[in-house]
Amino acid sequence: MRFFPETIYWRLVSPILVVGLLLVALISLIVPTMTEQTATRAALLHGTELLLHTRDRLENSIQSGTTKSASEILAELPEYSVSKADFLTIQAKDFNSGTNIVPDSFQREAWSTLTGNSNDVHSELNVIGSRYIYRIATKDRVLGSLLEIRLDVTRNFQGNSFPTWALIAGVLAGILMLLLCAHLGARALADPLQTLALAFRSLSEKGDLSAGSHVSPTSAQEIRRLTKAFQLFREREKDRHDLTDEIKRLAFFDPLTGLANRTRFLHHLKHHLDETREMTISPMVVLFDIDRYRDINDTFGHEAGDAVLRVLADRLRTLDAAHVRAARYGEDTFALLCLIEWGQSEDERMKLVERVRSLLSHRIHYDHQSIQLTACFGLSWAPDHGSHADALITAAHIALDKAKCQGRDSAMSYSRELANEAQNRITIVQDLKSALNQRRLQPFFQPQFDIASGRLIGAEALIRWPRFDGTFVPPGVFIPVAEQAQLITPIGQFMIDQVCASAAQWQAQGVKVPRLAINISALHFAEENVADAVKQAIARHEIPAELLEIEITESAMSQRIETVMDSLSELQKLGVEIALDDFGTGYSSLSYLQQLPLNRLKIDQSFIKEMSSSRSAQIVKTIIGLGRSMNLSVLAEGIENEAQADHLLELGCREGQGYHFAKPMPPDEFLAFIQDEQMRDADSQADLVRQIKSVSPHMSAVNGR
């Protein structure tokens, strides 16, 4: 049961009140007892002194022969009138039967107690009505009788009640004063605590700092709630600090590798550029990309790719920390900030690249797999290539892009020529996007022939970009830029649609359309489902799937091989033929050749051009033999003269294309070319029929003979 309201005020005041009441109760119980003990002790001392004095005088009287009794001796004492004592003498014989004196229980107990101890006294306090009688007894040492004195100590007990009540009243007054002070102190403390408690609770629960200016009375649980609220607030503050630290870490450090991220790298670069502006120290920026990093993810999995990045980051930390700062700048791009002296040659600056190459040369082992890394590097330094961080980063990016164009494990320093090339690439990208949106790109068709008969068997669709002046942007100029700018996929989609549209138009005109080959970039396979795109185009233009052939290069195998194979198999089941273009120039062709669903191998024109050499001729012969052994058609590209065509025919290659037969031509010209070829075929067949008919009568006559 709760006797006090559950408020902070009463929690502070009630203990004082309870303690005060307990003190009053204790005083009421203890003080009378102590007073009684004090009065009893005083009566005992006084009575004992009086009794022993009387006993001594009585013994002296008996020894001197004086006939005074104990009462007479007692009456002579000046203390007698004050003490109002009764003195009784009981002889030893009176304790036996036959006398008129009958000892009471006190006297018997005293006689028994004092026997053998005549120097002791025996005492007892008796309450008779409203009177307090103190009885004290001893034995004399001459006659052996019991001497008893009775003292009326009622006044002593009654006189001590006033101090008791006075003490209780004083205690009550002190408690009241203490309660008053406690009341004032509790009120002064409770109100701020209420406000503070509500503020803490609102802050911890709602995050509202404005709460607590006006509050209602707070419950007694508020102290505990305040404690909990403060603990919660402290925990949240700790979490907030931890979160702040984590935000700072995420804002300035890469969570995977623990290296500085792009933001922190730029901060350090700007800081060192400002510091070294008037010094002989030149900050140098090195950006490098891991070659074919996507292959690591696709082949071994993303966990392996992450492990490679962590190992590489640990190795970069071994570089001279005083002069080199490493950062992860992108997915597989790392940045190095190097502080070197002005005037160093480019070869000296390249020493850092060699150190990084040395770190990369050690194979990385993951899950029983050994991974060898290479990288392409781009370098720029202040003040030659810029005095601001953005300029140096841009310059290093330009150099890195150029290095990647040169192939794996390349390094390039920034130069003005590279900047001009980069600007040209930007212009090409912008113009190419505009041409693609305005559908100004065109498919050109280069016919393909049976080398022996000269019969048209197909055509390869090639992308062309006409300028406004009637000239064309060379494919070797804009195709690499389109791949870098991720425009090759929409270009491929455009070519699929245009080729299918041309085939549908020609069929509608009654032309027998030959097989049409479309080049699909490796990036197109990585970014889009090619099979779906082809099927949708076939359905949209309502042409037979057998009219199309999809050409892929060996670089497509660098993508997810399972995805590529699934798309090719789906197209082949649909009736679309599959050709492997530029065969022999890739590094992985033989490892995937048996797995790919192929119909045709295309020998790269570089081998045809050098076929005069025995080595190139042997390579061409090997490719032709490989195609035959796998029951694949073999087509040679880039045939430029009759000698090459005859040599290929001798080696067993039946199909070819090149300027010797026909150049690429726009759709209208190719349509006319098809019609001419079909007319020539028709004329040839008619001539053949006439020849057969002219020979038939002669043969009949011969047979008749």
Side-chain angles (χ1 to χ4, degrees):
M1 181 180 294
R2 297 175 179 175
F3 298 98
F4 301 101
E6 288 293 311
T7 62
I8 294 177
Y9 171 81
W10 281 106
R11 283 285 179 171
L12 296 173
V13 173
S14 59
I16 298 175
L17 181 60
V18 171
V19 170
L21 293 175
L22 289 176
L23 284 176
V24 172
L26 288 175
I27 291 173
S28 300
L29 293 175
I30 294 174
V31 171
T33 302
M34 294 178 60
T35 302
E36 180 179 331
Q37 291 176 351
T38 302
T40 302
R41 192 162 43 250
L44 176 60
L45 292 175
H46 179 68
T48 299
E49 181 182 0
L50 185 62
L51 181 60
L52 294 179
H53 183 70
T54 302
R55 186 188 66 178
D56 292 340
R57 294 190 63 180
L58 179 60
E59 289 175 352
N60 292 333
S61 174
I62 293 172
Q63 291 176 357
S64 62
T66 308
T67 58
K68 289 183 179 180
S69 64
S71 298
E72 293 175 340
I73 295 172
L74 183 62
E76 295 175 356
L77 297 175
E79 296 87 350
Y80 174 73
S81 58
V82 176
S83 301
K84 294 185 178 180
D86 294 329
F87 195 88
L88 299 176
T89 301
I90 303 176
Q91 303 294 332
K93 62 181 181 179
D94 295 331
F95 286 91
N96 300 320
S97 301
T99 63
N100 293 328
I101 300 175
V102 180
D104 57 20
S105 59
F106 168 77
Q107 293 167 346
R108 291 183 180 279
E109 185 179 356
W111 181 265
S112 175
T113 301
L114 296 174
T115 299
N117 297 301
S118 57
N119 290 327
D120 292 338
V121 296
H122 183 74
S123 60
E124 182 180 272
L125 179 65
N126 295 137
V127 181
I128 302 174
S130 59
R131 297 180 61 205
Y132 291 85
I133 304 299
Y134 201 74
R135 300 174 66 183
I136 306 171
T138 187
K139 290 178 67 175
D140 72 86
R141 293 167 292 188
V142 178
L143 300 176
S145 60
L146 181 68
L147 302 178
E148 177 189 351
I149 187 171
R150 298 179 181 180
L151 301 177
D152 188 350
V153 293
T154 301
R155 181 177 295 178
N156 294 348
F157 281 94
Q158 292 176 347
N160 287 326
S161 61
F162 176 75
T164 301
W165 288 109
L167 180 59
I168 292 174
V171 171
L172 284 174
I175 291 174
L176 290 176
M177 292 296 297
L178 188 60
L179 281 175
L180 178 61
C181 295
H183 162 74
L184 297 176
R187 181 51 60 191
L189 180 62
D191 290 344
L193 278 178
Q194 290 171 3
T195 303
L196 182 62
L198 184 58
F200 263 115
R201 191 168 63 208
S202 299
L203 180 62
S204 62
E205 295 176 356
K206 304 177 182 179
D208 184 8
L209 291 172
S210 62
S213 56
H214 300 285
V215 297
S216 57
T218 312
S219 68
Q221 301 296 325
E222 200 63 41
I223 291 294
R224 285 189 290 271
R225 292 176 183 171
L226 175 60
T227 303
K228 292 180 180 179
F230 179 75
Q231 292 174 348
L232 180 60
F233 175 74
R234 184 173 58 184
E235 292 173 0
R236 291 195 176 184
E237 279 295 295
K238 182 179 180 301
D239 293 341
R240 187 180 67 82
H241 285 297
D242 293 343
L243 182 59
T244 301
D245 294 340
E246 181 67 14
I247 291 173
K248 290 180 180 179
R249 189 182 68 81
L250 293 176
F252 296 108
F253 292 92
D254 174 55
L256 177 63
T257 63
L259 294 176
N261 61 10
R262 179 184 304 185
T263 302
R264 190 167 181 82
F265 181 81
L266 290 174
H267 172 77
H268 283 306
L269 178 57
K270 293 176 182 177
H271 173 72
H272 286 293
L273 284 172
D274 292 339
E275 276 194 347
T276 59
R277 200 175 299 277
E278 304 298 332
M279 299 171 60
T280 59
I281 299 298
S282 172
M284 181 177 73
V285 174
V286 178
L287 294 180
F288 68 91
D289 273 357
I290 299 175
D291 292 328
R292 304 179 74 88
Y293 176 72
R294 181 178 294 182
D295 292 354
I296 298 175
N297 285 331
D298 293 343
T299 305
F300 304 106
H302 287 277
E303 291 185 0
D306 292 345
V308 166
L309 295 179
R310 284 193 291 267
V311 171
L312 179 56
D314 291 338
R315 293 179 181 179
L316 292 176
R317 290 188 182 93
T318 63
L319 297 173
D320 185 5
H323 298 90
V324 180
R325 290 182 179 270
R328 185 185 179 196
Y329 203 78
E331 179 185 9
D332 62 325
T333 303
F334 290 83
L336 301 176
L337 172 59
C338 317
L339 301 179
I340 58 179
E341 294 183 1
W342 282 4
Q344 287 192 358
S345 65
E346 184 173 342
D347 291 339
E348 292 174 329
R349 296 175 186 274
M350 281 290 179
K351 290 181 180 179
L352 178 64
V353 174
E354 297 305 320
R355 290 167 62 189
V356 177
R357 280 176 171 163
S358 176
L359 296 177
L360 295 173
S361 65
H362 302 289
R363 288 183 172 271
I364 297 175
H365 300 281
Y366 177 82
D367 194 21
H368 308 294
Q369 301 289 339
S370 181
I371 302 174
Q372 178 67 61
L373 298 182
T374 58
C376 289
F377 299 82
L379 289 73
S380 66
W381 55 85
D384 297 351
H385 304 147
S387 57
H388 299 286
D390 293 340
L392 288 179
I393 291 294
T394 301
H397 265 301
I398 292 173
L400 175 60
D401 290 341
K402 183 62 176 180
K404 291 163 70 174
C405 292
Q406 291 184 343
R408 302 172 61 184
D409 199 23
S410 300
M412 182 69 64
S413 297
Y414 174 80
S415 65
R416 178 55 60 184
E417 291 75 14
L418 294 183
N420 294 334
E421 290 182 15
Q423 184 60 46
N424 291 336
R425 282 199 299 271
I426 293 174
T427 302
I428 291 174
V429 169
Q430 293 174 344
D431 293 344
L432 183 57
K433 287 182 178 179
S434 177
L436 188 60
N437 292 333
Q438 297 174 11
R439 304 184 71 83
R440 289 191 285 109
L441 300 178
Q442 296 180 7
F444 273 46
F445 297 89
Q446 185 173 30
Q448 298 171 337
F449 296 88
D450 181 287
I451 299 177
S453 64
R455 181 174 55 87
L456 178 67
I457 60 175
E460 180 181 1
L462 303 171
I463 187 71
R464 291 294 182 263
W465 180 9
R467 297 188 179 100
F468 291 105
D469 60 1
T471 60
F472 291 86
V473 180
V477 172
F478 73 87
I479 291 297
V481 175
E483 290 180 343
Q484 293 180 4
Q486 298 181 339
L487 293 175
I488 199 66
T489 296
I491 289 177
Q493 186 63 49
F494 171 81
M495 286 294 291
I496 293 172
D497 184 73
Q498 288 296 301
V499 170
C500 291
S502 297
Q505 180 183 356
W506 298 335
Q507 276 192 329
Q509 297 177 14
V511 176
K512 184 179 179 181
V513 181
R515 182 188 68 244
L516 302 177
I518 307 171
N519 288 282
I520 300 297
S521 168
L523 294 176
H524 197 157
F525 278 96
E527 296 175 0
E528 188 178 86
N529 191 320
V530 176
D532 288 345
V534 173
K535 285 191 293 185
Q536 290 171 8
I538 290 173
R540 184 166 56 252
H541 296 286
E542 299 179 350
I543 63 171
E546 292 77 10
L547 289 181
L548 297 183
E549 180 180 69
I550 297 299
E551 292 187 6
I552 63 171
T553 61
E554 296 176 58
S555 59
M557 300 305 101
S558 65
Q559 309 302 322
R560 296 180 180 177
I561 183 64
E562 296 83 2
T563 303
V564 175
M565 289 183 178
D566 289 344
S567 295
L568 296 179
S569 298
E570 191 174 351
L571 288 171
Q572 196 178 58
K573 291 177 182 178
L574 192 65
V576 177
E577 294 190 0
I578 308 298
L580 185 59
D581 196 13
D582 301 336
F583 183 75
T585 59
Y587 68 92
S588 61
S589 57
L590 295 179
S591 63
Y592 292 114
L593 193 58
Q594 291 182 336
Q595 304 177 47
L596 290 173
L598 295 176
N599 301 98
R600 181 171 283 97
L601 293 181
K602 298 188 70 174
I603 305 174
D604 187 69
Q605 60 182 350
S606 62
F607 298 114
I608 306 303
K609 185 177 181 180
E610 302 294 333
M611 203 166 49
S612 58
S613 69
S614 59
R615 185 171 184 179
S616 293
Q618 187 61 41
I619 293 175
V620 172
K621 183 179 179 179
T622 301
I623 295 174
I624 294 171
L626 181 63
R628 282 181 175 179
S629 67
M630 299 185 66
N631 198 27
L632 300 176
S633 301
V634 179
L635 186 147
E637 294 181 299
I639 301 175
E640 296 182 351
N641 52 61
E642 188 173 357
Q644 292 175 345
D646 292 341
H647 196 178
L648 286 168
L649 197 58
E650 291 175 2
L651 294 176
C653 180
R654 306 287 300 178
E655 300 176 355
Q657 72 182 74
Y659 280 17
H660 173 63
F661 300 106
K663 295 181 179 181
M665 55 191 73
D668 293 342
E669 292 184 16
F670 182 63
L671 174 60
F673 185 86
I674 296 174
Q675 292 171 337
D676 290 343
E677 287 293 317
Q678 291 178 357
M679 289 179 64
R680 279 194 294 269
D681 290 343
D683 292 342
S684 298
Q685 291 178 1
D687 290 341
L688 180 61
V689 169
R690 284 194 296 270
Q691 292 176 7
I692 293 174
K693 287 181 178 181
S694 64
V695 172
S696 295
H698 176 71
M699 293 300 296
S700 299
V702 172
N703 290 336
R705 292 174 188 169

